Amino acid sequence: MLKCLVLVSVFAVPAAPAFAGDASLAVRYFYDNLGAESGLENRDRFAGPALEFLNAADAAWNRDETLCLDFGFPVDAQDFDDAEIARTLKLDETVDGDTARVVARFNNFGEPSEVEWTLEQNTAGWQVSDVASTANDWRLSTLSCE
């Protein structure tokens, strides 16, 4: 009887969105699902400048197939070894109130890479507001897409 009660109580707990936990979990989603950053079904994982850029990139593509970003920003590359990235991924999270910085460090084809994610917490949980690479000198919030 106790086993049934425990099982029922597990199903009675409302499921929280996958991105409502720690900021690093919100970032890890994109490394567990490489390529998901461009999916419309994941747009609610973004806010602020990152969301504005992705929406502008979609609009440019729909208008005349202008490609505003020719690489995967989670891996800071056009090509990637997903197994190597998964094996070497380390996330370093710093939270200051409702903002967080998560630095993703990993190897891609034997080369060390680092991508910095800025997130904001709101009623939807942790949402990505910016992504940057110091090695390749880009930041989503400063990219233009017309």
Side-chain angles (χ1 to χ4, degrees):
M1 174 74 169
L2 184 59
K3 288 181 184 178
C4 291
L5 182 59
V6 170
L7 186 59
V8 169
S9 67
V10 167
F11 289 113
V13 175
F19 50 96
D22 296 332
S24 58
L25 291 177
V27 171
R28 179 170 290 284
Y29 173 83
F30 294 102
Y31 291 98
D32 290 345
N33 301 281
L34 289 170
E37 68 278 3
S38 60
L40 291 176
E41 69 277 7
N42 292 311
R43 207 46 57 91
D44 59 349
R45 295 176 180 273
F46 295 92
L51 179 60
E52 291 168 16
F53 176 80
L54 292 171
N55 287 340
D58 287 344
W61 179 260
N62 291 335
R63 181 187 65 242
D64 60 8
E65 296 188 1
T66 295
L67 186 61
C68 297
L69 198 61
D70 65 350
F71 63 94
F73 62 81
V75 295
D76 191 21
Q78 290 180 331
D79 198 11
F80 57 88
D81 180 341
D82 54 344
E84 182 180 22
I85 291 170
R87 187 176 62 253
T88 61
L89 180 66
K90 303 284 187 263
L91 300 174
D92 180 28
E93 176 182 311
T94 305
V95 176
D96 184 13
D98 290 338
T99 60
R101 178 178 166 261
V102 177
V103 177
R105 292 180 180 87
F106 52 90
N107 289 339
N108 189 22
F109 298 115
E111 295 295 320
S113 296
E114 184 175 295
V115 177
E116 180 183 305
W117 300 71
T118 305
L119 298 95
E120 59 184 52
Q121 187 175 39
N122 54 42
T123 57
W126 286 107
Q127 293 179 305
V128 176
S129 58
D130 208 357
V131 184
S133 166
T134 54
N136 289 309
D137 196 30
W138 60 263
R139 179 173 290 279
L140 285 184
S141 62
T142 62
L143 296 178
S144 176
C145 186
E146 298 179 21

